[in-house]
Amino acid sequence: MLEELKEAVFKANLELPERGLIKYTWGNVSAFDPQSGYFVIKPSGVDYDTMTADDMVVVDLNNNIIEGSLKPSSDTPTHAVLYKNFPEIRSIVHTHSPWATIWAQAGQDVPAMGTTHADTFYGTVPCARFLTTEEAQNAYEHNTGELIVNTFKERGIDPQAIPAVLLHGHGPFTWGKSPEAAVMNSVVLEEVCKMNFYTRQLNVFAEPLPQAILDVHYLRKHGKNAYYGQSNK
Amino acid sequence: MLEELKEAVFKANLELPERGLIKYTWGNVSAFDPQSGYFVIKPSGVDYDTMTADDMVVVDLNNNIIEGSLKPSSDTPTHAVLYKNFPEIRSIVHTHSPWATIWAQAGQDVPAMGTTHADTFYGTVPCARFLTTEEAQNAYEHNTGELIVNTFKERGIDPQAIPAVLLHGHGPFTWGKSPEAAVMNSVVLEEVCKMNFYTRQLNVFAEPLPQAILDVHYLRKHGKNAYYGQSNK
Amino acid sequence: MLEELKEAVFKANLELPERGLIKYTWGNVSAFDPQSGYFVIKPSGVDYDTMTADDMVVVDLNNNIIEGSLKPSSDTPTHAVLYKNFPEIRSIVHTHSPWATIWAQAGQDVPAMGTTHADTFYGTVPCARFLTTEEAQNAYEHNTGELIVNTFKERGIDPQAIPAVLLHGHGPFTWGKSPEAAVMNSVVLEEVCKMNFYTRQLNVFAEPLPQAILDVHYLRKHGKNAYYGQSNK
Amino acid sequence: MLEELKEAVFKANLELPERGLIKYTWGNVSAFDPQSGYFVIKPSGVDYDTMTADDMVVVDLNNNIIEGSLKPSSDTPTHAVLYKNFPEIRSIVHTHSPWATIWAQAGQDVPAMGTTHADTFYGTVPCARFLTTEEAQNAYEHNTGELIVNTFKERGIDPQAIPAVLLHGHGPFTWGKSPEAAVMNSVVLEEVCKMNFYTRQLNVFAEPLPQAILDVHYLRKHGKNAYYGQSNK
C-alpha cells in the first residue's frame, strides 16, 4: 500500500542526517495521500542505519495505524492535525536542526533579512508560544498541531506562503508539496536562522529586506509569472 | 576475558572522533562488568588508527590492571570512583568536545532550554567546581571522581536522571546503561551546550523550558509509561 | 561552441557546493569569451547531480541565448552588465555563501583585518546599497549589475584590485581571470567575512591591517615584482 | 637528499587541509635536519592535489636552495630565523587556520582557560605586535622571524614550553619535535582559540585555569615524571 510514497518518505528521512539537520533519530518526515486520506510516516526511534522503506507506517487522520508492524513516530498526532487543517500541503518535516531550534528556544519569529529567505518564505516565519501546562499534560502532540494551526489563523498567515513554524522551546516544522520540497524548506529555514542571527550580531541596526526586493525574489520563483528554473521556460 | 565488552568499548571509542566529539586521543570510554566487578577502558594515548579491541585494558575498581599489555587511560581512577558510587551505570565517556568544554571552562551549569535537552536530561546538568590545589596535586584523577560524586550528593541530583557532569576548566563526563548510550549522552550534551549558548545570545531574556514540557518529553522516553521508540509498543 | 569554456564553467559550478559556498542551486558561475563576445553560464535551477557541461548556456551581452536548450540563470543580466563594464574580467561567481551573505544582510563593507584578506583583496570590499523599489520592480537583475558598476565608479575602486562586492540584503559576487580564480575569490571572501566578524567580537578595538603589511602581502602575490608561487621564479 | 624528511614534511603539509587548518595553499610545514644544518620546506603556491614529496625544497639557514627545482615557500626566511634561534625545535608549521587567525587579527594573547590548553601549552600563547612599516618593507619574512624570537626573549617565554605564537594581523606559527607534533600543536592552538573565545562570550568573568591544574595536566604529559601515554609505562 502506497509503496511509492513510502519510498519517498523513507528517502526524505535519510536526507535529514545527510543535510546536517538531525543526529540519531531526532526528526521525522511524513507524506499525505489525498486519494486515500492516509499519510505515511517514519516509525518511532528506529535507527536510520537499519531502517527500510517497508518500515514506514501508514496511518489515517485520526492516528489509527492502517498498515505497518512498527509504532509510528510519537509526533504523528501533530502531523495529522496539520494535514486536516492545511489541505494543500502534501508533506511535513520535523527536526531539531540546531539554528532553527536556537530561534525556537529563544521564542523569536524569524524576520526576512535577505533574498535567501525571500526565495522560499514570503515574510516572517512565526514562533508559536509555549504549550500551557494543560496542553502539555493531555494529548501533547495533538495540541502541538492545534497550536500551530491557531498561530497561523490568529496571525493571518497563509501556510503555503510561509511553509514553516517554530515551536517555543522545541524546534521547527516545515511542509511542502512533496517530501523533497518539505526537506528543502527545512534546509532554508536552518540557513536563514543561522545567517539572521549573525546579521544582527554584526549590525544591531540591520534592517529587514525591503518589501520590493522580497516581492521580486519570492514571486520570480513562486508567483504567477515565475521565471526561475526550467518548468516555466 | 570480557571480549564482548572490549569490542563494545573499542567501538564506542572510535565513535568519539566520528561524531566530532574529540580530536586525536582526547577522550576515553569505559564499560563496567557487574559480575566480575572489573571494567574495560581505553589504553592511554594510543593512536585511534592503529588501536584494536585487544588493546582495551581490564582493571578493577582499585585501579589494578587485571589484563592488558598497555597502560590504561590516565583518567582511569576517575572512572573507578564513578562506578563505585553510581552503581546503576554501566559505561562512562570522557571527552573534550568543544561546546561542553566551553561551558566547563566558563564554569556554568547547563539549564534545560528545550526539548532536545529534556529528551535526555531531566533538568540542569551541573558544573562541578575547580579542584583545589591540594586535590590537584595529589591523586588528581581520583579526586576528580570524588568531586563529581560529591557534587551530585550535595545538590541532590540523581545520576540516572542527569547522566552528565561538567568539570570547571576541564570538560564533560557522561554515562549510561551501555557504551552506545553513554556516547549518545555526550552527543546530546554537546548539542544542547551549543544551542543554549546561542539561545541566550539571541535573546538574553530567553526562559528555560516550562516544567510541564520538560516532564512530557523526559517521561515519554524514560518514564514508566514511555511511549517513544519500539521497545514499549 | 565554446566547449572548453563550458567544461570550465561546469566544473566551477560543481566546486560551489564542494567548497561549502552553496546548497542546492543557490549560485551560478559564468565565463566570458573575448573573441566571440559571448559568455557561458549555468542554466537556471537545474539539480547539480544531473547537470552536465552540455547544459551550460551561451548568451551574448544583451542576454540573447546563442546556444543551449535550457534557460540561463535568472541572474544572467547581472553578469552581462559586469562583463560590459569591467572589460578585464573573464569569469563571475554569485553565491549565497553564509558569511558573505551575513555581511551583505548587515549592509557592511568588509575591511582588511589581516593578511588572508591582503593576499587577495587590495583593501576594503564594498557593500552596495539596497536596490530602490523602482530598480527592484523593473529589470531587477540588470539593475543589480548597474548598481555594482556604479558603486565601484563612485567609490573609485579598481575591480581588478578588489574582485568582489556585496549586495545589501542579498549576497556576494566575485570575479577573476578564470572560473577557478573567481571561485577562489569567493572562498577567500567567505573566510575573511567569518574571521573579521569574530575578530571584532573578540576585540571591539581591533585595528585594520597597517597599510605597509597590506602592501607587502598584496604585492608579493599580485604586484610587478611578485615572488609568491612558481610562475615568477 | 633527506628523502625521509621530505616524505614527513610532504605528509604533514597534506595534513593541514585534512585537519581543516588551511584552504588552497595557505600554509607551510618545514623540518630541520641537525646533522646537515639544512631544512626541508614546501614549495611556494603549488596545488596540494599535484604536489609530491619530491617537490619539497632543501634550503640552508641562510635561505640558499641546496636542492629542488621549485621555489621554496615565500615564508622560508621566517622558518630559517626560528631554527637558528630555537635550536631544540625540529619542525615548524604556519597556517591561516581561522580561530588562531581571529585571535591574531584581534592582537590578543591566548590565556590558558582549560586543560585542553594545559595538555600542550604551559601557559599563555603570546601574540607578537604588528611589524613596523620599516620591518614590513624590507626583508618582511626575515623580520617576521626576528619579531617572534624577540617576543619570546623579551617576555621570557621558553619556546619548548609554549610551542606557538600569533602574529598580529597575520596568523599562527607552531613548532615541535617532529612535523607530526608541530601539526598537532596547530590543531590544539586552533581548538583552544575557538573554545576560549566562546568561554568569554558565555561568561565574561570566566577565570583562567588555576596554576595547580595547569601544572598537573602539562606535567603529566611533558614533565620528568610524565605518566600519560605508553612511552613511559
Side-chain angles (χ1 to χ4, degrees):
Chain A
M1 181 186 269
L2 302 175
E3 299 304 320
E4 262 184 62
L5 211 58
K6 279 182 194 166
E7 187 66 30
V9 167
F10 171 62
K11 277 189 182 163
N13 273 293
L14 294 188
E15 247 193 285
L16 301 185
E18 282 165 19
R19 293 196 179 270
L21 296 172
I22 67 160
K23 296 172 187 289
Y24 295 101
T25 61
W26 308 350
N28 42 71
V29 181
S30 71
F32 181 69
D33 173 55
Q35 251 181 317
S36 64
Y38 300 151
F39 64 100
V40 171
I41 192 164
K42 200 197 71 140
S44 182
V46 170
D47 197 324
Y48 280 51
D49 291 340
T50 57
M51 194 167 65
T52 67
D54 274 347
D55 291 336
M56 301 300 111
V57 186
V58 181
V59 292
D60 68 15
L61 291 181
N62 298 315
N63 305 308
N64 299 306
I65 298 179
I66 301 298
E67 192 200 61
S69 55
L70 296 169
K71 275 171 57 187
S73 164
S74 52
D75 294 319
T76 297
T78 311
H79 292 241
V81 173
L82 295 185
Y83 286 126
K84 266 189 199 165
N85 288 276
F86 296 164
E88 309 86 355
I89 71 179
R90 291 291 173 267
S91 178
I92 297 168
V93 173
H94 171 52
T95 78
H96 288 212
S97 69
W99 282 103
T101 303
I102 286 158
W103 283 73
Q105 291 191 166
Q108 299 268 330
D109 291 355
V110 187
M113 301 296 290
T115 59
T116 315
H117 186 116
D119 284 338
T120 298
F121 303 115
Y122 200 22
T124 297
V125 174
C127 182
R129 63 164 170 75
F130 281 132
L131 274 81
T132 64
T133 298
E134 204 178 12
E135 289 167 342
Q137 288 176 342
N138 301 294
Y140 168 69
E141 294 85 0
H142 175 85
N143 289 335
T144 297
E146 295 287 351
L147 176 58
I148 293 172
V149 170
N150 287 333
T151 299
F152 275 66
K153 246 183 233 169
E154 282 165 23
R155 295 177 59 169
I157 303 172
D158 172 1
Q160 287 191 279
I162 307 285
V165 72
L166 301 178
L167 287 159
H168 198 173
H170 191 160
F173 278 80
T174 64
W175 46 83
K177 290 185 179 171
S178 66
E180 209 179 4
V183 170
M184 189 172 79
N185 292 343
S186 284
V187 172
V188 176
L189 181 62
E190 181 66 6
E191 194 76 358
V192 299
C193 283
K194 179 174 78 177
M195 296 199 302
N196 288 3
F197 171 84
Y198 287 113
T199 298
R200 268 294 158 87
Q201 294 257 326
L202 179 57
N203 178 0
V204 285
F205 296 106
E207 296 165 59
L209 193 65
Q211 186 67 35
I213 305 180
L214 181 65
D215 287 345
V216 174
H217 270 267
Y218 185 75
L219 297 174
R220 80 179 192 176
K221 267 195 146 166
H222 306 281
K224 276 190 188 171
N225 303 311
Y227 55 94
Y228 182 95
Q230 301 298 331
S231 55
N232 37 34
K233 72 179 154 154
Chain B
M1 180 186 269
L2 303 175
E3 299 304 320
E4 261 183 63
L5 212 56
K6 280 183 193 166
E7 187 66 31
V9 168
F10 171 62
K11 277 189 183 164
N13 274 292
L14 294 189
E15 247 193 285
L16 301 186
E18 282 166 20
R19 292 194 179 271
L21 296 172
I22 67 160
K23 295 172 187 289
Y24 295 101
T25 61
W26 309 349
N28 43 70
V29 181
S30 71
F32 182 69
D33 173 55
Q35 250 180 317
S36 62
Y38 301 151
F39 64 100
V40 172
I41 192 163
K42 198 196 74 138
S44 182
V46 170
D47 197 324
Y48 280 50
D49 291 339
T50 58
M51 193 168 65
T52 67
D54 274 347
D55 291 336
M56 301 300 110
V57 187
V58 181
V59 292
D60 70 15
L61 290 180
N62 298 315
N63 305 308
N64 300 306
I65 297 178
I66 301 299
E67 192 200 63
S69 55
L70 295 169
K71 276 171 56 187
S73 166
S74 51
D75 294 319
T76 298
T78 311
H79 292 241
V81 173
L82 295 184
Y83 287 125
K84 266 188 197 164
N85 288 276
F86 296 162
E88 310 86 353
I89 71 180
R90 291 292 173 266
S91 177
I92 297 170
V93 173
H94 172 51
T95 78
H96 288 213
S97 69
W99 282 103
T101 302
I102 285 159
W103 283 72
Q105 291 192 165
Q108 300 267 330
D109 291 356
V110 187
M113 301 296 290
T115 59
T116 314
H117 186 117
D119 284 338
T120 297
F121 303 115
Y122 200 22
T124 296
V125 174
C127 182
R129 64 164 169 77
F130 282 132
L131 273 80
T132 63
T133 297
E134 204 178 12
E135 289 167 343
Q137 287 175 342
N138 301 293
Y140 168 70
E141 293 85 0
H142 174 86
N143 290 334
T144 296
E146 295 288 350
L147 176 59
I148 294 171
V149 169
N150 288 333
T151 300
F152 275 68
K153 245 182 232 168
E154 282 164 23
R155 296 177 58 169
I157 303 171
D158 172 2
Q160 289 192 277
I162 308 283
V165 73
L166 300 179
L167 287 160
H168 197 174
H170 191 159
F173 278 80
T174 64
W175 45 83
K177 290 185 179 170
S178 67
E180 208 180 4
V183 170
M184 189 171 80
N185 291 344
S186 285
V187 172
V188 176
L189 182 61
E190 180 68 4
E191 195 75 359
V192 298
C193 283
K194 178 175 78 176
M195 295 199 301
N196 286 3
F197 171 84
Y198 287 112
T199 298
R200 269 293 157 89
Q201 293 257 328
L202 180 58
N203 179 0
V204 285
F205 296 106
E207 297 165 58
L209 195 65
Q211 187 65 37
I213 304 180
L214 181 65
D215 287 345
V216 174
H217 269 265
Y218 185 77
L219 298 172
R220 80 179 190 174
K221 267 195 145 166
H222 306 281
K224 275 190 188 171
N225 302 310
Y227 55 94
Y228 182 95
Q230 301 299 331
S231 56
N232 37 34
K233 74 181 154 153
Chain C
M1 182 187 269
L2 302 176
E3 299 303 320
E4 262 184 61
L5 211 58
K6 279 182 194 167
E7 187 66 31
V9 168
F10 171 63
K11 277 189 183 163
N13 274 292
L14 294 188
E15 248 194 283
L16 301 186
E18 281 165 21
R19 293 196 179 271
L21 296 173
I22 65 159
K23 295 176 187 285
Y24 295 100
T25 60
W26 308 348
N28 43 70
V29 181
S30 72
F32 182 69
D33 174 55
Q35 251 180 316
S36 64
Y38 301 150
F39 64 101
V40 171
I41 192 162
K42 199 196 73 141
S44 182
V46 170
D47 197 324
Y48 280 52
D49 291 340
T50 59
M51 194 167 64
T52 68
D54 275 347
D55 291 337
M56 300 301 110
V57 187
V58 181
V59 291
D60 69 16
L61 290 181
N62 296 315
N63 304 309
N64 299 306
I65 298 179
I66 302 298
E67 193 199 63
S69 55
L70 296 170
K71 275 170 60 186
S73 164
S74 51
D75 294 319
T76 297
T78 310
H79 292 242
V81 173
L82 295 185
Y83 287 125
K84 267 188 200 167
N85 287 277
F86 296 164
E88 310 86 355
I89 69 180
R90 291 291 172 267
S91 178
I92 297 169
V93 173
H94 171 51
T95 77
H96 288 213
S97 69
W99 282 103
T101 302
I102 286 158
W103 283 72
Q105 291 192 166
Q108 299 268 330
D109 291 354
V110 187
M113 301 297 289
T115 60
T116 314
H117 186 116
D119 285 338
T120 297
F121 303 115
Y122 199 21
T124 297
V125 175
C127 182
R129 63 164 168 74
F130 281 131
L131 273 80
T132 63
T133 298
E134 204 178 11
E135 289 167 342
Q137 287 176 341
N138 301 295
Y140 169 70
E141 293 85 359
H142 174 86
N143 290 334
T144 297
E146 295 288 350
L147 176 60
I148 293 171
V149 171
N150 288 332
T151 299
F152 275 66
K153 246 182 235 172
E154 281 165 22
R155 296 177 57 167
I157 303 172
D158 173 1
Q160 287 191 279
I162 308 285
V165 72
L166 301 178
L167 287 159
H168 197 171
H170 191 159
F173 278 82
T174 66
W175 45 84
K177 290 185 179 170
S178 66
E180 209 179 3
V183 170
M184 189 172 81
N185 291 344
S186 285
V187 171
V188 176
L189 181 62
E190 182 67 5
E191 195 75 359
V192 298
C193 283
K194 179 174 79 177
M195 296 199 302
N196 287 5
F197 171 84
Y198 288 114
T199 298
R200 269 292 159 87
Q201 294 256 326
L202 180 57
N203 179 0
V204 286
F205 296 106
E207 296 166 58
L209 194 65
Q211 185 67 36
I213 305 180
L214 180 65
D215 288 344
V216 173
H217 270 266
Y218 185 76
L219 297 174
R220 81 179 192 177
K221 268 195 146 168
H222 306 281
K224 277 190 189 173
N225 303 311
Y227 55 93
Y228 181 95
Q230 300 299 332
S231 56
N232 37 34
K233 73 178 155 155
Chain D
M1 181 186 269
L2 303 175
E3 299 303 321
E4 261 184 62
L5 212 57
K6 280 182 195 166
E7 187 66 30
V9 168
F10 171 63
K11 277 190 183 162
N13 274 293
L14 294 188
E15 247 193 286
L16 302 186
E18 282 165 20
R19 292 194 179 272
L21 296 173
I22 66 159
K23 295 174 188 287
Y24 295 101
T25 60
W26 309 349
N28 43 71
V29 181
S30 72
F32 182 68
D33 173 54
Q35 251 180 316
S36 63
Y38 300 150
F39 65 101
V40 172
I41 192 163
K42 198 196 74 139
S44 182
V46 171
D47 196 324
Y48 280 51
D49 290 340
T50 59
M51 195 167 65
T52 67
D54 274 346
D55 291 335
M56 301 300 111
V57 187
V58 181
V59 291
D60 70 15
L61 290 181
N62 298 316
N63 305 309
N64 299 306
I65 297 179
I66 302 299
E67 193 199 62
S69 55
L70 295 170
K71 277 171 55 187
S73 164
S74 51
D75 294 320
T76 298
T78 310
H79 291 242
V81 173
L82 295 184
Y83 286 126
K84 268 189 196 162
N85 288 276
F86 296 163
E88 310 87 354
I89 71 179
R90 291 290 173 267
S91 178
I92 297 169
V93 173
H94 172 51
T95 77
H96 288 213
S97 69
W99 282 102
T101 303
I102 286 159
W103 283 72
Q105 292 191 164
Q108 300 267 331
D109 291 355
V110 187
M113 302 295 291
T115 60
T116 314
H117 187 117
D119 285 338
T120 297
F121 304 114
Y122 199 21
T124 298
V125 175
C127 182
R129 63 163 169 76
F130 281 132
L131 274 81
T132 63
T133 297
E134 204 177 13
E135 289 167 342
Q137 287 176 341
N138 300 294
Y140 169 69
E141 293 85 359
H142 174 85
N143 290 334
T144 297
E146 295 288 351
L147 176 59
I148 294 171
V149 170
N150 288 334
T151 299
F152 275 67
K153 246 182 232 169
E154 281 165 23
R155 297 177 58 168
I157 303 171
D158 172 1
Q160 287 192 279
I162 308 284
V165 72
L166 301 178
L167 287 159
H168 197 172
H170 191 159
F173 278 81
T174 65
W175 45 84
K177 291 185 179 169
S178 66
E180 209 179 3
V183 170
M184 189 171 80
N185 291 344
S186 285
V187 172
V188 176
L189 181 63
E190 181 67 5
E191 194 76 359
V192 298
C193 283
K194 179 174 79 177
M195 295 199 303
N196 287 4
F197 170 84
Y198 288 113
T199 299
R200 269 293 157 89
Q201 293 257 327
L202 180 57
N203 180 0
V204 286
F205 296 106
E207 296 166 59
L209 194 65
Q211 186 65 37
I213 305 181
L214 180 66
D215 288 344
V216 174
H217 269 266
Y218 186 76
L219 298 172
R220 82 179 190 175
K221 268 195 145 166
H222 307 280
K224 276 190 190 173
N225 302 312
Y227 54 94
Y228 182 96
Q230 300 299 330
S231 56
N232 37 34
K233 72 179 158 156

